[in-house]
Amino acid sequence: MMIKKLAIWGLTGLFFCSCATSRKIEDDRLQIRFLDEYVIDKDLKIDNTKVGGLSGIDYKDGSYYFIVDTPSDARFYQAEIKLSGNKIDTVNFKKTVMIEKTAEFFKDHTLDPEAIRFLPEENQVYISSEGSINNQKDPSVFILDESGNFKDAFKIPQHFTAQGEQKPRHNGVFEGLAQSYDGNGFWVATELPLEKDGPKPKLFPTKSFTRITYFDKDIKKATNQFAYRLDGISKIPWMYFAVNGVTELLEYKEGNFLVLERAYSAGHGSHSNTVKIFDVDTKRATNILEKESLKKASFSPARKRLVFDFKSVKDQLTDKIIDNIEGMCFGPKLENGKQSLLLISDNNFNSFGRQLTQLILMEIDFKE
């Protein structure tokens, strides 16, 4: 009887899954092509630190920056990546920068770094952190100097605070971070919906809207926000845990973004992740910054188009593993003049079984 129930539930899940996830590639505005994968050694060390837990990547002036999402030894790395043709030739980690944990700010804001953006013209590093909602510690976007010393932080809207009535979800707040196309601010994406905005994604279709917020760099406050609807879960979770959320974003022209979604369904071992890239247009999206709840509110969300599904290239990846890809940045122009895109996976220091630190190289062909 149990087998029959599981079989029926599984078939039902597969039916709903087909309705809850985006499957059609829409490449009318841009096309993304996979080029190469480079797996970073899990035992690699630099400056007496183990390289792993890389949840964010950025590229500026020939150097790459990786943020490590461990609260105990919060740090970021500076590295050099040499591309040869359409391949990653070498990856050389050059420097470790420890984040100043003794700053007064971090007494009330738990360090759980998720994304990094470096502005060389300011000699400043911008980092998003999820905080710790269960421990009443707010998420944050803070600013460091190149040496890791705390400089300042943005003022976050009340609905993202740990004690806010909208109830942000633990491990589901500030994840993605992107400099605005005009350079005047930053966009910050929450991984999951606020509890009062809607449910977490399921195998069946849900109205799971996350908020993507614009912070003005000069006044360090939020001035705009749009709703983004998450895809559903793609794989049946055999161990009763599944999640899908935004892990990174990039604004490639005003109001237009690449958004990275990563889903995880427990019970599939090293093949538990589903990772997709969406092309997002906010031209008709409502500014929802002042809306307390999205469940009954009237608004227009951003429009999303699926432009790349890592499932299509899994046979070209190490052991066909699509790992926990969380970071994304524009790299240098390729030899053919097209834009490169680099992504990095967080191996969680292999604390949940075998995982890889995958550095992915891709090509973007903008058609508009």
Side-chain angles (χ1 to χ4, degrees):
M1 181 63 71
M2 180 60 70
I3 294 176
K4 289 183 178 179
K5 286 183 177 179
L6 284 174
I8 292 171
W9 182 78
L11 289 172
T12 303
L14 288 172
F15 171 75
F16 281 131
C17 180
S18 67
C19 303
T21 60
S22 301
R23 295 178 181 272
K24 180 184 176 183
I25 299 293
E26 298 184 66
D27 57 3
D28 54 313
R29 303 201 324 162
L30 60 89
Q31 186 174 28
I32 297 179
R33 184 166 70 98
F34 171 82
L35 298 179
D36 195 22
E37 174 210 40
Y38 183 104
V39 176
I40 297 171
D41 187 345
K42 65 181 179 63
D43 296 318
L44 177 65
K45 289 187 176 181
I46 178 174
D47 300 327
N48 295 316
T49 67
K50 193 170 185 177
V51 176
L54 306 180
S55 63
I57 180 175
D58 199 22
Y59 170 79
K60 289 294 190 314
D61 294 346
S63 291
Y64 293 83
Y65 300 85
F66 297 92
I67 189 70
V68 180
D69 70 346
T70 174
S72 57
D73 292 305
R75 60 192 183 273
F76 63 88
Y77 295 114
Q78 182 179 353
E80 291 181 354
I81 298 174
K82 183 180 179 182
L83 304 181
S84 179
N86 290 336
K87 299 292 183 181
I88 300 171
D89 185 41
T90 56
V91 179
N92 187 12
F93 284 80
K94 307 285 289 186
K95 182 180 180 182
T96 306
V97 179
M98 305 302 295
I99 296 176
E100 180 200 9
K101 293 170 58 178
T102 57
E104 189 71 22
F105 179 79
F106 295 124
K107 291 182 180 180
D108 297 318
H109 297 80
T110 298
L111 263 173
D112 187 5
E114 293 294 346
I116 183 170
R117 299 298 172 200
F118 176 53
L119 271 60
E121 65 274 16
E122 299 178 3
N123 294 319
Q124 294 190 143
V125 181
Y126 291 74
I127 292 174
S128 63
S129 173
E130 283 197 312
S132 181
I133 300 303
N134 287 349
N135 294 304
Q136 302 300 306
K137 302 290 186 180
D138 293 343
S140 60
V141 179
F142 57 88
I143 307 166
L144 307 173
D145 64 19
E146 289 183 278
S147 299
N149 300 306
F150 177 82
K151 302 293 291 183
D152 208 341
F154 292 161
K155 179 179 175 59
I156 67 171
Q158 188 273 341
H159 48 251
F160 292 136
T161 60
Q163 297 181 342
E165 293 182 3
Q166 282 84 353
K167 298 182 180 180
R169 287 181 162 94
H170 185 71
N171 286 335
V173 203
F174 294 170
E175 187 82 18
L177 177 67
Q179 186 177 13
S180 63
Y181 184 73
D182 61 12
N184 293 327
F186 287 86
W187 291 95
V188 181
T190 54
E191 182 176 3
L192 296 172
L194 302 173
E195 287 189 19
K196 285 200 172 182
D197 283 345
K200 292 188 291 185
K202 309 292 183 183
L203 279 167
F204 52 86
T206 58
K207 293 182 179 180
S208 299
F209 290 101
T210 188
R211 297 180 184 234
I212 297 179
T213 309
Y214 175 78
F215 289 85
D216 184 286
K217 194 171 62 174
D218 292 330
I219 63 174
K220 296 181 175 61
K221 292 182 180 180
T223 59
N224 197 1
Q225 188 179 80
F226 65 86
Y228 174 87
R229 187 171 184 172
L230 294 166
D231 262 25
I233 303 300
S234 299
K235 298 179 180 179
I236 297 173
W238 298 119
M239 295 176 67
Y240 307 106
F241 176 78
V243 67
N244 180 47
V246 173
T247 61
E248 192 59 282
L249 76 165
L250 295 168
E251 188 175 21
Y252 66 86
K253 70 177 182 180
E254 188 173 354
N256 294 266
F257 299 81
L258 295 180
V259 173
L260 184 67
E261 287 190 37
R262 184 274 334 274
Y264 175 86
S265 294
H268 296 270
S270 296
H271 302 276
S272 296
N273 294 296
T274 301
V275 182
K276 300 176 181 179
I277 302 174
F278 293 89
D279 177 19
V280 176
D281 182 358
T282 66
K283 182 168 56 178
R284 295 184 175 86
T286 305
N287 184 349
I288 59 168
L289 186 60
E290 302 302 323
K291 293 186 182 294
E292 295 184 1
S293 172
L294 300 183
K295 284 185 177 179
K296 297 180 180 180
S298 176
F299 64 93
S300 296
R303 180 188 176 189
K304 59 188 281 189
R305 304 171 176 88
L306 178 63
V307 290
F308 193 84
D309 187 342
F310 273 85
K311 182 180 178 180
S312 66
V313 297
K314 69 176 183 178
D315 289 345
Q316 301 177 60
L317 301 176
T318 300
D319 295 336
K320 299 184 179 181
I321 294 174
I322 303 167
D323 220 305
N324 183 31
I325 299 174
E326 293 194 352
M328 180 170 66
C329 74
F330 294 123
K333 291 292 180 65
L334 297 166
E335 291 180 0
N336 61 7
K338 294 180 181 178
Q339 178 64 55
S340 68
L341 182 72
L342 289 102
L343 301 97
I344 191 70
S345 69
D346 174 3
N347 71 345
N348 294 304
F349 293 98
N350 287 280
S351 57
F352 302 109
R354 184 192 178 214
Q355 289 190 260
L356 306 174
T357 300
Q358 293 173 306
L359 181 64
I360 306 290
L361 174 65
M362 311 184 86
E363 172 193 281
I364 308 178
D365 183 6
F366 292 103
K367 297 184 178 182
E368 291 188 351

